[in-house]
Structure formats: C-alpha cells, structure tokens
Amino acid sequence: MGVEAIDQHTPQLGPEGIGLAAMPTALALVECASPAALRECGSRLLRDSLGLAWVECLFVEGSGRWLGRDHGEGRLDCDDFRHPYAHAIRRGAPLTLGVAEARTRLDHPDFQAQVAALPGGLRLQIRPLRALDGQREWLGALALAADDEAVERLADDAGFAAFEALLCRLWARLARSQGERQRSAALRESLAKLNDGARRQKLAERLAEALLGDSAAMQRLRSQVIRAAETNLAVLLQGQTGTGKDCVARAIHRFSARAEGPFMAINCAAIPEALLESELFGHAKGAFSGADQAREGLIGQADGGTLFLDEIGDMPLALQAKLLRVLESGRYRPLGASDERCADLRLVAATHQPLRERIRDQRFRADLYYRLGQFPLSLPPLGERREDIATLAQAFVADFCTREGRDEVGITPAALRQLRQRDYPGNVRELKNLVDYACAMSPPGADLDAAALPAEASETREPAAEAPLAAPSVAVDDLRQALRDFEAELIRQRLRYFDGNRALAAESLGVPKRTLAHKCRLLEVDAP
C-alpha cells in the first residue's frame, strides 16, 4: 500500500502537533505490512516522540468479544468491567484515571499485571479505536501512561488526532486485506484438498483391480496404500498368513514415484541364514568357497525402486544391524568387498510375527522396528471381511479358467454359501486353494458346485429335512438378516419335501413359481 492510497480526508500531521514530522510518520505507518506490525510501529512512534512511560495497542479478535495482545499472555473479555478497556469500549470515548486508582478499583489479574511496574503517580488513558469508514467496526484500544500534563495536552492536540485517525484507517485496510488473503488461501487449500481427494479416490478405484473387495476394511486399506505410495517412508505390513501382503507391497510400488524402477522381493524365512546375507548384499569374487564370480545382491538390484522383505521377523539379528545401516545411510558393503556402495531404495517389509514380543525376547532389534514402522499398515484377516468372499471366489474361478484354458464358468449359490461359512486360518490364500481344487474337480464347462469343494468345506450346517424350523434366537441383533435366514430355511425344507419340485413347493407356500424362483436366487437357495 503506497502513501497515495491514504484517504484524502485523513487529517494531516503538522509541525505544531505532537512533534512528529508528518511525512516520516506517514511513511513508517504506511510501510507496515500487517495489523500487528502497524500496532507495534504506532506504539513505538508515540512512545519515542512523547516520552510516554507506557504505550500498548490491543486488538479486538474476530468474534468481537475478546481483546488480544501482540505481546504477553492472556486476553481480556470486552464485557468484563474489572479492567478499563471494557469501560472505554462500551462508552465509546477515552477513559482517564490514575494508576493508583486503577490498582484499587480494577482487580482484573491480567490488567494488573500490565500496569504492575508503572509508578502510582502516573495517569492512564484508554482510547477506544474504530474504523473511520462506513462500517465503523471496533478495532481495539490504545493504552497510554504519562504524567498529568502530558495526558491533558493530548486532548487538544490536532497532530495526535491526525495520527490516531491515520492509524485507524491503515489498520482497517490492512485487516480487510489480510482477511481477504486468508479467505483466498483457505479457498485454495480447500480446492487443493478437494482435487487431491478426488485424485486419491480415482487411484483407489484403480487399485481395486488388484486388491479385491468392497468391504469397509478393504476400502480403508486401499486408501492407506495410496497414502503410503505417495511417500518415501518405509512401510511395515503386518497381518496373518495369507492376507495378501505381497499384493499390497506390489501395489505400493506400482502407485509410487518409483513405479518405473525395479521391484525386488525375498522371503527371509525361506532362505538359510548362511545364504541370506549374500542374497541381500551380494558378494565379491572369492568372498567364500564357490564364489567364482561377483554377484550383485537384491539391495543393489533394487536401486531406484522397491525392496520387499517378506517375513522380516525371521531375519537373524546380525543381518538386522546391517539392514538398519542401509536404511539410515543408504550405504552397504557386499560380502568380501573392500568398498562401500550406495543404494537408493524404498523398503517395504512384512511379517505375521508379533514383533513387539520378539523385541522383548531380544530376537528383534527395537531400533530397526521403529525405523521400519514409519508407515505401518495392518491387513485385515478374511474372517473380518466375509462379504468379500463371493467377489474373491468368482475372481479365482475366472483366473483358474484363464490359466487352464477352460471356458468361463460361474459358481453356484450353495458353493458360495458354504465358502462363507468356513473358517479361514489361511485367509485369502486358503480360499484361493479351495477354489482351485474345486475348479479342478468340476467337469469342464460346469459351474463350481458345493459338491466339488473339499469335505471339510462341504459339510452342510443345515438341519435334517424332517427337523422342524428352529425358533428365532433371543440373541438376534440383525432383524433383517434373521428374517432372511428363516425364510431361506423354510424354502429349503419345502424343496426337500417335494424333491426339488419348485411348482409344488411354491403352491404349498401360496406364492407363484416365479416369485419362489426369484427368492431362491436372492437367498442363494438351491434345489436338493
């Protein structure tokens, strides 16, 4: 804001005023870039020119209820008449009183702390400040302390009045300008978050092709994977065996800035301890018996990309220390080599081991655990997302048909029902193995049926045909599902009674055959 921006009606400072040269004063105030800087500059100019014992400029906060201070703690309630600022603002006029009188009559602790160091013989003057435009909003208050003569002289000083008017005009304009900038910044930030959220949502939808499932747990996991991929932090994947840690690691690499680089993976539990160090760090020629030529390890091969260490909980302690150095410095030394090498890689580690327990047992380094866990991710077991079993099973059937060159087939409702009922200690991997076995046992072109599933998965939990319908359980906590289960069981019993004849079963239930067929599809009920 330049000097020409000052309103032409602002009173001009003159040499007969408070002793401030007009142009230097105006320039000092106009060059202030913020209301806080303006308040500090104005207080300093008044204090230096008049030799006042104390000058402080307080501001009204956005709510209009509180007076804040640029220096010092505490804020003052504009409706609390235990301090003089409330009196001056409510009156809309300056308030003058002695310091000794203020200490006796006004007991606000923050105000008393402000004036504690002032001599009792001085006079206080509190001047409320308002914007000099059409809005006339309160800006704050100017507090002065001086002897009686100096305070009385201010009342008729035209230069002081001009200074105060200039201070208020500049303050109001800077406050409005700052508010507009803050609103613009907030708007830009909101738009950026909105665009960023939309971008992440699109990436998560693409990720659904690799990490299947519409359950809340999988949606949350996909969102976390996208977040992890945007960083270069080490990721620690924890979850039961068969939950898909390898798939998640590959997804993190695929959606990261290192996607064009290599993805190297190793299972630390599958390689003997004597060979694991060589696999990771590589070796020089002649490093050990049989090392006829130099070999680059996985750390070197992963340079510029991602290294996935599966089952890191089984890594020997000696190798853990060497891996920690790679993570902290990016440097490593192959076996038998004399020189160190550098590797720029992103590490993703996975384990089903309870690492905290292994730390207590001194089988895993605590410093490595905290370095690996910069971005921890927990993979949900299949038992916590049973609603995804149908989607996964259908995808595994399609994958089997593609691998074996068979025509595409489906999966019957009875088979899906029995797959949902099964416990899965092996999680998604176990489900895939079950589906592959059942597909292999099914005739080509035939849908996968419950009869093709292994015996422990095909044991039905339905009551015998002659058994009466079970009474509703008092522990029902989902009425809709309970009604669906009861209706499905009734239909199954009627179909068994009529040897699968849907026409007779529908007639006995008093519904059209088409309605019964629709309910059978909806409730996944098959004819016996």
Side-chain angles (χ1 to χ4, degrees):
M1 184 185 297
V3 177
E4 67 276 8
I6 306 301
D7 195 302
Q8 297 299 318
H9 297 291
T10 301
Q12 299 300 306
L13 297 176
E16 73 285 352
I18 60 176
L20 295 172
M23 189 56 68
T25 299
L27 284 174
L29 294 177
V30 168
E31 289 176 353
C32 295
S34 68
L38 180 73
R39 290 189 291 269
E40 182 176 358
C41 178
S43 299
R44 186 181 66 253
L45 287 171
L46 288 175
R47 187 169 50 248
D48 294 346
S49 62
L50 298 178
L52 301 176
W54 176 63
V55 180
E56 185 168 2
C57 195
L58 289 79
F59 61 93
V60 175
E61 295 185 357
S63 65
R65 179 181 174 184
W66 299 95
L67 277 170
R69 303 168 62 193
D70 293 313
H71 304 287
E73 297 181 355
R75 56 181 185 171
L76 304 170
D77 190 337
C78 293
D79 293 325
D80 188 346
F81 290 93
R82 294 180 299 156
H83 60 76
Y85 304 106
H87 293 275
I89 289 176
R90 293 310 172 200
R91 289 174 53 190
L95 173 67
T96 304
L97 71 165
V99 171
E101 180 187 5
R103 288 175 178 162
T104 302
R105 294 174 49 192
L106 302 169
D107 60 354
H108 194 286
D110 290 334
F111 170 70
Q112 291 296 336
Q114 282 183 287
V115 300
L118 297 178
L122 295 181
R123 301 282 287 173
L124 287 175
Q125 186 169 88
I126 310 298
R127 304 182 66 87
L129 302 178
R130 300 184 74 162
L132 301 179
D133 55 17
Q135 298 184 19
R136 302 284 293 171
E137 76 270 17
W138 287 111
L139 299 172
L142 183 65
L144 312 169
D147 56 38
D148 289 344
E149 183 181 353
V151 172
E152 290 176 2
R153 195 165 54 241
L154 292 179
D156 300 321
D157 193 322
F160 178 74
F163 178 90
E164 188 177 75
L166 178 62
L167 179 70
C168 289
R169 283 191 184 276
L170 291 174
W171 187 345
R173 293 188 181 188
L174 283 172
R176 282 195 291 271
S177 176
Q178 187 180 62
E180 291 172 0
R181 289 196 299 271
Q182 290 174 345
R183 286 191 293 273
S184 297
L187 179 59
R188 287 194 300 272
E189 183 178 359
S190 297
L191 290 174
K193 288 182 178 179
L194 182 63
N195 293 334
D196 204 36
R199 179 185 60 81
R200 288 196 179 105
Q201 181 62 33
K202 289 182 179 179
L203 291 176
E205 291 173 359
R206 287 173 51 194
L207 185 55
E209 300 172 2
L211 301 180
L212 300 174
D214 295 323
S215 63
M218 285 306 295
Q219 293 180 29
R220 183 167 53 252
L221 176 63
R222 288 195 291 265
S223 176
Q224 292 173 331
V225 167
I226 296 300
R227 290 274 188 175
E230 293 174 340
T231 74
N232 202 39
L233 300 176
V235 178
L236 179 61
L237 306 177
Q238 292 185 287
Q240 298 177 8
T241 298
T243 49
K245 293 186 284 290
D246 181 80
C247 292
V248 171
R250 292 180 183 277
I252 291 173
H253 174 73
R254 174 188 168 195
F255 286 89
S256 73
R258 298 174 176 268
E260 299 300 322
F263 178 86
M264 309 304 298
I266 186 172
N267 188 319
C268 299
I271 298 178
E273 180 177 345
L275 297 179
L276 184 57
E277 183 175 2
S278 175
E279 287 291 323
L280 284 175
F281 295 90
H283 60 259
K285 182 178 180 180
F288 50 83
S289 178
D292 299 330
Q293 57 185 2
R295 181 177 182 275
E296 187 174 32
L298 292 177
I299 291 176
Q301 295 177 52
D303 186 29
T306 302
L307 175 62
F308 174 47
L309 300 180
D310 197 5
E311 298 302 346
I312 196 169
D314 294 307
M315 177 178 283
L317 281 170
L319 279 187
Q320 292 178 27
K322 294 185 178 182
L323 177 62
L324 179 62
R325 186 169 185 273
V326 176
L327 292 175
E328 291 180 339
S329 67
R331 305 183 68 83
Y332 70 101
R333 189 193 304 273
L335 284 172
S338 57
D339 299 325
E340 286 190 331
R341 300 180 184 179
C342 295
D344 173 26
L345 56 85
R346 200 269 184 81
L347 184 69
V348 179
T351 181
H352 74 282
Q353 302 275 10
L355 291 185
R356 291 186 179 275
E357 293 182 11
R358 294 182 73 82
I359 290 172
R360 287 196 296 269
D361 297 338
Q362 297 184 347
R363 290 185 292 171
F364 200 85
R365 295 179 61 104
D367 48 4
L368 178 59
Y369 171 75
Y370 293 118
R371 186 61 178 78
L372 290 172
Q374 291 179 325
F375 201 118
L377 280 177
S378 295
L379 278 64
L382 188 57
E384 293 182 5
R385 55 186 189 104
R386 290 186 176 274
E387 58 267 46
D388 293 333
I389 289 177
T391 300
L392 291 167
Q394 289 163 357
F396 294 151
V397 170
D399 178 67
F400 178 89
C401 293
T402 300
R403 284 186 283 113
E404 299 297 325
R406 293 192 182 186
D407 293 336
E408 288 190 13
V409 297
I411 182 168
T412 66
L416 285 177
R417 184 173 60 256
Q418 293 190 13
L419 287 174
R420 288 196 187 99
Q421 292 173 344
R422 184 185 178 95
D423 292 327
Y424 289 95
N427 293 289
V428 179
R429 182 184 293 118
E430 180 180 353
L431 174 63
K432 184 178 186 304
N433 292 340
L434 285 173
V435 171
D436 283 349
Y437 174 85
C439 287
M441 296 298 292
S442 300
D447 288 347
L448 188 153
D449 195 13
L453 292 169
E456 59 267 30
S458 62
E459 290 176 356
T460 180
R461 300 181 182 180
E462 300 171 3
E466 64 276 11
L469 287 174
S473 171
V474 294
V476 168
D477 56 4
D478 187 336
L479 180 59
R480 291 185 178 180
Q481 186 60 46
L483 291 174
R484 285 170 56 91
D485 293 343
F486 187 82
E487 186 177 20
E489 182 57 26
L490 176 60
I491 293 173
R492 289 191 195 99
Q493 287 198 12
R494 290 302 173 92
L495 287 172
R496 281 195 294 268
Y497 182 80
F498 291 104
D499 296 325
N501 189 317
R502 288 191 176 182
L504 294 176
E507 182 179 359
S508 71
L509 292 170
V511 297
K513 181 181 176 182
R514 181 178 300 178
T515 300
L516 182 64
H518 173 71
K519 286 185 174 291
C520 286
R521 289 194 300 271
L522 186 65
L523 299 173
E524 300 178 357
V525 174
D526 287 340

